[in-house]
Amino acid sequence: MILQAMRTALEALNAHRMRTTLTLLGILIGIAAVMMTVGLTQGASSSMSEQMGSLGTKLLYVTPGSTSSGGIRGMSATTSSLNDDDVALLSDKNIAPDIDSVAATYSGSYGALRSSTTTWYASISGVTANYLDVLGTELESGRMFTQGEIDASASVVVLDSSTAEQLFSDTSQAVGQTISIGGQSFTVIGVQKDSGTSGMTMSSSSSVLVPLSTARERFGTGGTSLSMIYMLATSTDTLSAAKQEAENAMSATHRTSVEEPDFSIASMSSIVDMYNTVMMMFSLLLGGIASISLLVGAIGVMNIMLVSVSERVREIGLRKALGATPGNIRIQFLIEAAMVGLAGGILGVLVGLGGSALIQWAISTFGGYDLPVIVSWDATAIALAVSMTIGIIAGVYPASRAAKLAPIDALRSE
Amino acid sequence: MELITLEGVHKVYSTSEEVQVHALRGINMHIDEGEYVAIMGPSGSGKSTLMHIIGCLDVVTAGKYEIDGVDTEGMSEKQLARIRNAKIGFVFQQFNLLSSMTALRNVELPLVYAGVPVSQRKERAQKALARVGLADRALHRPGQLSGGQQQRVAIARALVTDPALILADEPTGALDSVSTNDILALFDELTEEGKTVVVITHERDVAARAQRTVHLYDGMLQEVNA
Ligand SMILES: Nc1ncnc2c1ncn2[C@@H]1O[C@H](COP(=O)(O)OP(=O)(O)O)[C@@H](O)[C@H]1O
Ligand SMILES: [Mg+2]
């Protein structure tokens, strides 16, 4: 009976191929749009969390909240609310037991770097010796500077990979070379690994590292102020405890009110959360638009089913005379509607997959980075189920109209 | 054994609140198993209405209708559909074959609704087609058959479930005289095999083939023995 109804439905749809195709389009466009939206947002989220890595989930960072712009210049080199005392405070295991290690940076100026052959511009950051460990950045070659070199304000520098590439044709030759930074000689002791070219992370333009003390004395205004403090919690689970400890300790020493602190502490995961929230809003918006398309598709299916029923009144009457129950007739039209929905869904999934691949290609070709577009089996299965359900729902009213036709009225109609 | 029993049957169509058409006014009729009965009457006398009642395609407004000992009063659409499927084979003036299907599949249709498995369906439909002399036309579509052949396919479809009653409404109305004779010869054979045949017609020579003729005038009966 069901098989027979499916065959009848296929024949009916096949008899009006053009009409069926146009009806399919509504569902097709909706499903394809949903697939691409989901694929894009899932891809973006996963590439984000991948980049944050396991380390990112343990990382906290403190930024000066309200920096009083310094003096007449009012540009860079402002007085930061963060300084070495904060680092000492946060490193104290008695005060903050859940903080494993603390690194700090002092952003100096943006300056010219000269090798024997080239000149290149990069920002110069003074950092603590454990900076790379805390941020989870690895070295391509060479080594990080030691505490001794920091204490001595040594003239050593660790380059980022892009700066190294610019200054030396062969980056493996960089370590041991001498370059001039702002007219002063520095020895290159290490080169960082390329951290990935995705535009998603906060990293970015060229930035070379020198000992904290060196940066303050030679490229800054001296003193003990800091631009940023990074902390690693002892584990992912203690992240919020660590944040609380840091907040309490710093509020006390900074003598600031809780409402208006002069610093702020954020975690990488809070950035990821924020990013995910934005992605979610974005996908809801796109999904909403796609849903409207699906709704229009559903109305199309319903319309075509009503046409199909009124065209086949005589056939319905005959089938009833031959023994079809109202239930038999209802099933027949529901199957027909479900098939339209499912066919639209299948084509929609295919177009969605093709579209996703196209977007991925376009982003990597024109945008310059690889953003995976993830289309999961789950999403595909759900899309197919949804499209079939839409077909069935759109078919309910036409099918029950067909089921309710009185056999004599149906037979009499011409 | 009595197959059809109508007692005091009235049918009133209400097209609107004010307009009511009293199509049947107190019909009493009894048809035994194996009888061949013709129902005659002028246009508008209520012949088709009576056929719809007998065929369980419509229900009475008042009175009693029994088929094969079963009272149809208060039956659901589904129950009526089951009775039509099992006990009645319809033959219509316009054949009413589905044009997209082969003769064989048209004949199979009642078996589909009877829930007969596919393998048996084909076999029984083929047998019914052979019975009306169209075994070699099984895979033709209605459009590829003559009017007389189409009506024979329709009769095969009416026979395929082996119903007690063959109910035909103007079965020869759209046919030439040669085809008409073929169909009437088939009805004669069916009667000989013990089927009950009820034919509605306004043609005298068609009615003449039946064992008895019932005349309808303005919704009322007037029986005349042949
Ligand atoms: N569905 C209907 N609604 C209203 N009036 C109807 C309907 N069917 C038949 N009639 C009326 O009932 C009467 C009998 O019709 P019918 O049984 O078709 O007669 P016949 O088949 O003998 O020509 C006619 O007056 C016809 O107009
Ligand atoms: Mg009539």
Side-chain angles (χ1 to χ4, degrees):
Chain A
M1 174 60 223
I2 298 283
L3 276 178
Q4 190 71 22
M6 286 170 79
R7 182 171 176 183
T8 304
L10 272 183
E11 282 167 355
L13 295 176
N14 193 40
H16 300 280
R17 244 161 286 149
M18 187 65 183
R19 194 167 86 186
T20 307
T21 312
L22 290 175
T23 311
L24 289 182
L25 271 181
I27 301 281
L28 187 158
I29 293 169
I31 290 290
V34 171
M35 294 286 291
M36 286 192 277
T37 308
V38 172
L40 258 179
T41 47
Q42 280 196 355
S45 293
S46 92
S47 94
M48 177 77 178
S49 24
E50 198 174 283
Q51 281 172 26
M52 291 306 150
S54 55
L55 188 87
T57 59
K58 286 199 286 182
L59 191 63
L60 287 167
Y61 52 96
V62 189
T63 47
S66 49
T67 41
S68 50
S69 22
I72 3 167
R73 290 195 202 162
M75 297 173 63
S76 60
T78 50
T79 331
S80 167
S81 60
L82 302 178
N83 58 39
D84 289 348
D85 294 341
D86 293 313
V87 175
L89 182 74
L90 296 169
S91 305
D92 189 335
K93 285 282 176 226
N94 294 320
I95 294 170
D98 293 310
I99 294 172
D100 183 55
S101 47
V102 183
T105 63
Y106 174 84
S107 297
S109 46
Y110 193 73
L113 284 71
R114 286 194 187 84
S115 67
S116 52
T117 52
T118 332
T119 298
W120 178 247
Y121 292 86
S123 71
I124 300 145
S125 294
V127 301
T128 50
N130 61 354
Y131 175 81
L132 293 182
D133 296 334
V134 171
L135 267 87
T137 309
E138 286 171 18
L139 286 173
E140 174 83 51
S141 57
R143 61 174 180 87
M144 184 58 176
F145 32 80
T146 61
Q147 189 58 42
E149 283 165 326
I150 291 186
D151 294 343
S153 302
S155 299
V156 289
V157 61
V158 172
L159 303 177
D160 61 285
S161 65
S162 63
T163 301
E165 266 167 40
Q166 295 300 326
L167 293 177
F168 307 101
S169 44
D170 183 359
T171 56
S172 63
Q173 300 290 306
V175 174
Q177 303 269 0
T178 301
I179 60 168
S180 128
I181 303 178
Q184 306 173 50
S185 291
F186 278 78
T187 305
V188 177
I189 58 166
V191 177
Q192 298 175 57
K193 259 197 183 141
D194 189 347
S195 60
T197 50
S198 166
M200 292 284 160
T201 45
M202 10 194 302
S203 79
S204 46
S205 58
S206 305
S207 171
V208 301
L209 309 176
V210 298
L212 185 62
S213 49
T214 310
R216 279 174 174 156
E217 288 163 21
R218 305 204 204 158
F219 306 109
T221 52
T224 61
S225 79
L226 293 167
S227 310
M228 201 145 155
I229 298 174
Y230 295 91
M231 300 175 285
L232 265 191
T234 47
S235 77
T236 311
D237 300 332
T238 56
L239 185 75
S240 54
K243 187 178 176 198
Q244 196 56 52
E245 288 159 13
E247 239 154 39
N248 293 345
M250 287 184 67
S251 295
T253 57
H254 282 237
R255 297 179 188 284
T256 52
S257 64
V258 182
E259 292 81 33
E260 282 179 78
D262 61 357
F263 61 90
S264 67
I265 303 177
S267 58
M268 269 302 182
S269 63
S270 71
I271 293 210
V272 174
D273 287 348
M274 196 178 80
Y275 175 82
N276 282 341
T277 308
V278 172
M279 279 319 271
M280 173 123 95
M281 307 276 278
F282 182 65
S283 75
L284 278 179
L285 180 75
L286 284 180
I289 294 169
S291 308
I292 291 173
S293 166
L294 272 182
L295 185 68
V296 172
I299 294 171
V301 173
M302 182 152 161
N303 183 41
I304 226 63
M305 289 312 297
L306 284 173
V307 171
S308 180
V309 169
S310 58
E311 260 180 6
R312 282 150 70 194
V313 164
R314 220 180 146 74
E315 177 189 328
I316 293 163
L318 173 73
R319 286 176 181 275
K320 287 195 158 184
L322 299 182
T325 60
N328 293 149
I329 299 292
R330 180 176 286 116
I331 283 285
Q332 183 188 323
F333 282 93
L334 280 180
I335 286 178
E336 192 172 320
M339 279 181 160
V340 174
L342 188 61
I346 291 172
L347 292 176
V349 165
L350 292 179
V351 170
L353 288 175
S356 298
L358 197 70
I359 290 174
Q360 192 164 350
W361 173 81
I363 289 176
S364 79
T365 307
F366 304 115
Y369 56 86
D370 290 326
L371 177 66
V373 178
I374 297 174
V375 182
S376 62
W377 286 113
D378 287 359
T380 307
I382 290 170
L384 292 182
V386 164
S387 58
M388 200 163 119
T389 309
I390 284 176
I392 292 174
I393 290 172
V396 167
Y397 175 64
S400 68
R401 258 188 46 174
K404 281 197 198 106
L405 280 175
I408 53 159
D409 292 338
L411 272 174
R412 191 181 293 120
S413 104
E414 278 312 313
Chain B
M1 231 315 265
E2 202 165 284
L3 184 65
I4 301 284
T5 310
L6 289 104
E7 273 166 18
V9 166
H10 286 260
K11 180 68 192 180
V12 180
Y13 293 109
S14 313
T15 40
S16 65
E17 298 242 338
E18 307 93 58
V19 187
Q20 291 197 330
V21 181
H22 211 138
L24 298 178
R25 313 159 180 259
I27 304 280
N28 294 306
M29 193 163 113
H30 302 267
I31 299 175
D32 283 336
E33 237 171 81
E35 267 197 292
Y36 184 176
V37 179
I39 298 173
M40 284 194 77
S43 181
S45 58
K47 301 186 296 294
S48 295
T49 303
L50 183 57
M51 178 209 171
H52 293 151
I53 300 277
I54 294 173
C56 292
L57 290 168
D58 205 353
V59 290
V60 301
T61 310
K64 187 167 121 173
Y65 173 49
E66 273 180 20
I67 177 166
D68 210 10
V70 182
D71 194 337
T72 59
E73 195 183 333
M75 277 194 173
S76 68
E77 271 287 329
K78 186 173 170 176
Q79 288 170 310
L80 290 173
R82 294 263 174 267
I83 291 188
R84 292 196 291 269
N85 186 251
K87 298 190 191 297
I88 304 164
F90 291 94
V91 180
F92 304 95
Q93 179 173 3
Q94 298 303 329
F95 325 135
N96 282 345
L97 298 174
L98 296 181
S99 59
S100 62
M101 297 183 177
T102 60
L104 189 72
R105 284 193 61 210
N106 266 288
V107 175
E108 264 184 68
L109 263 187
L111 299 178
V112 171
Y113 295 118
V116 175
V118 189
S119 51
Q120 287 180 42
R121 244 156 43 197
K122 289 248 170 318
E123 197 185 307
R124 282 173 66 177
Q126 191 65 50
K127 233 161 101 185
L129 276 173
R131 173 72 193 76
V132 299
L134 289 175
D136 54 338
R137 300 295 155 91
L139 299 180
H140 288 230
R141 286 173 200 278
Q144 300 165 319
L145 299 171
S146 72
Q149 287 172 329
Q150 288 186 56
Q151 194 61 303
R152 272 148 68 195
V153 172
I155 291 170
R157 181 179 65 191
L159 290 173
V160 78
T161 52
D162 196 23
L165 176 67
I166 298 292
L167 195 51
D169 189 1
E170 305 275 9
T172 59
L175 301 178
D176 58 37
S177 59
V178 178
S179 300
T180 297
N181 277 329
D182 287 351
I183 301 299
L184 293 179
L186 251 175
F187 284 158
D188 288 343
E189 287 171 32
L190 292 176
T191 317
E192 273 162 37
E193 287 167 20
K195 284 257 180 284
T196 311
V197 179
V198 174
V199 177
I200 288 164
T201 182
H202 62 269
E203 292 170 77
R204 220 159 260 293
D205 37 344
V206 171
R209 302 286 280 264
Q211 294 157 356
R212 68 181 165 114
T213 303
V214 171
H215 286 267
L216 254 184
Y217 291 104
D218 207 13
M220 287 181 287
L221 278 190
Q222 205 178 45
E223 193 144 340
V224 177
N225 288 310

